Amino acid sequence: MKRILVAALVSGVLAGPAMAQDGSTLEEDRAGVEAAARDYMEGALFANADRMTRAVHPGLTKVVVGRNRLTGRQFLSYNTATLLVEWVRSAEERMANVDKNVDVTIFDIDTRLATARAIGSLWYDFLQLAKIDGEWRIVNILWAPNRVVGPNRSAAEEEARVVPDARDSAQVMAQALNYIEGSFTGDAGRMESALHPELTKVMLAYDPTTHRPYLRTMGASDLIEETLAGMGMVPEDEWHIDVEIQDVSRGIASVKVTSSMYIDYLQMGKVNGTWKIVNVLWVPNPERPRLRPSLRR
C-alpha cells in the first residue's frame, strides 16, 4: 500500500476505538484525560499542589521556548514535576487575581496514549498523556504564554504569533515526514533536521516479566545514530503513514503520526525561525502482529 498522508487542524475532535485495550470505554478515558488536564491547569491557577501532583508523572518534561534578553536568540527552558509542584505551593498570592477559566480540548486517545490542549488566561499548553496503572498522567508538556504584551510587541506581531500562516503548517508537516520517513529510509540527515538537539522521546513500555508499564526515554543523538545504522528501515510499500496536525499556534504545534510500525505524538516548537520536534511520546503500533506481546500487561 502506498503512503497515506492526511493533514488536518482539529478542534474538539476525538479519535480512537470505542473500547480501550484495558477494557475501559472511550467515555471513561476521555473523562480521565480531561480530569488530568484540569488538575494540571486549575492546580496552577488555584495554587493547589495536590491537584498538580495528581496530574503529572514524576518523570514529566515541561518545555517552553524562551528568548535570551542579550542575544535575542531562542532556546528551550525546562521544568520538572518537582519544580512545578513547588512553584504551585508558593503561587497563591500570585494567582489571587488571575482569571480561573480553563478550556480543555482532547485531540486524541489511542493505545493508552492521549494528547490534549489546556488553555488558561496565562498559558497555552499542549499535553501528552499516558495511562499508567489505570491512571492518566501527563508525561510531556510544550507550552507558550497565552498572550505576550509589552512595548516591544505590536498587535500585528501578536496576531501573527497566535494565528500561523500556511508556511508554518507546511513546515510542521515537512518535519513530521522528515522524522518518520527519515527513520524508514535510514536517512539520518532528514532525522537530524527534524529534531531539536535537546529532544525528549518517551516510550510507554511494558516489562516482559511483570507486564507492568514504565517510561523509557531517549534523546536526539540516540535516535540519529539508530537511524544512521538503519535500525528502523521499512520498505516504502509498507509505511502506511498518516500525519495529523492537531494544532499550530503561538509558535508551538501538536502532531500525531501513525504508521505501520508506530504511533507517535510529536510536540514541535518554532526555535529561531525553524520548526523542531521537542517532545515525542510513542508506542509500537499494536496492529503490527509481532509487537503485540510487548504491549500486554
Side-chain angles (χ1 to χ4, degrees):
M1 183 182 294
K2 295 297 184 182
R3 183 183 77 207
I4 300 172
L5 180 62
V6 176
L9 294 177
V10 299
S11 178
V13 176
L14 180 61
M19 183 70 71
Q21 289 179 326
D22 60 2
S24 60
T25 66
L26 181 59
E27 291 74 18
E28 290 169 338
D29 280 332
R30 183 183 179 90
V33 170
E34 179 158 355
R38 289 194 174 278
D39 278 342
Y40 163 74
M41 186 63 80
E42 292 175 359
L45 292 171
F46 288 95
N48 187 322
D50 290 338
R51 292 187 68 181
M52 181 62 74
T53 301
R54 186 167 63 219
V56 299
H57 188 275
L60 172 80
T61 297
K62 181 174 180 178
V63 186
V64 64
V65 180
R67 188 179 296 276
N68 186 286
R69 289 182 296 174
L70 298 179
T71 67
R73 290 183 55 78
Q74 292 177 303
F75 63 95
L76 300 187
S77 180
Y78 287 83
N79 208 337
T80 63
T82 53
L83 284 172
L84 183 57
V85 170
E86 290 309 308
W87 183 92
V88 170
R89 289 189 199 282
S90 64
E92 185 173 359
E93 184 175 343
R94 292 192 297 273
M95 295 294 104
N97 298 315
V98 172
D99 181 356
K100 303 297 194 295
N101 288 314
V102 172
D103 177 76
V104 172
T105 299
I106 301 172
F107 291 135
D108 192 79
I109 299 175
D110 195 347
T111 318
R112 299 194 180 102
L113 303 184
T115 52
R117 181 183 64 206
I119 305 174
S121 56
L122 302 177
W123 309 296
Y124 195 98
D125 292 51
F126 292 140
L127 315 177
Q128 294 176 343
L129 304 93
K131 193 175 187 180
I132 300 173
D133 293 329
E135 299 292 331
W136 285 98
R137 308 292 292 276
I138 302 170
V139 174
N140 289 326
I141 299 170
L142 180 62
W143 71 279
N146 195 7
R147 299 178 184 86
V148 177
V149 296
N152 297 323
R153 181 178 291 276
S154 68
E157 288 174 322
E158 176 65 1
E159 182 178 0
R161 184 184 75 93
V162 171
V163 183
D165 62 27
R167 290 172 297 180
D168 286 310
S169 295
Q171 290 168 14
V172 167
M173 176 64 70
Q175 292 292 54
L177 290 175
N178 282 336
Y179 167 80
I180 191 64
E181 292 182 355
S183 175
F184 285 172
T185 60
D187 190 331
R190 287 189 71 181
M191 178 64 76
E192 186 170 9
S193 72
L195 308 181
H196 191 278
E198 297 170 40
L199 169 86
T200 299
K201 181 172 180 178
V202 181
M203 176 187 181
L204 177 60
Y206 292 83
D207 185 274
T209 302
T210 66
H211 306 295
R212 289 184 60 81
Y214 67 96
L215 299 181
R216 189 171 74 191
T217 303
M218 65 189 301
S221 59
D222 296 329
L223 190 51
I224 293 165
E225 289 304 312
E226 286 190 1
T227 303
L228 185 64
M231 295 175 65
M233 293 182 68
V234 176
E236 185 173 357
D237 62 353
E238 299 177 13
W239 289 359
H240 307 301
I241 296 171
D242 180 273
V243 179
E244 177 186 319
I245 300 177
Q246 298 171 328
D247 189 12
V248 182
S249 182
R250 296 157 176 80
I252 57 176
S254 179
V255 181
K256 180 182 182 182
V257 179
T258 306
S259 67
S260 59
M261 299 287 288
Y262 316 113
I263 297 170
D264 289 275
Y265 290 114
L266 316 179
Q267 291 176 340
M268 298 190 198
K270 192 174 185 179
V271 185
N272 297 313
T274 303
W275 285 96
K276 294 289 186 179
I277 302 172
V278 172
N279 289 324
V280 178
L281 180 62
W282 73 284
V283 290
N285 191 332
E287 298 303 316
R288 183 184 177 194
R290 67 188 181 92
L291 289 184
R292 282 178 183 158
S294 68
L295 295 175
R296 294 176 186 153
R297 288 186 181 270

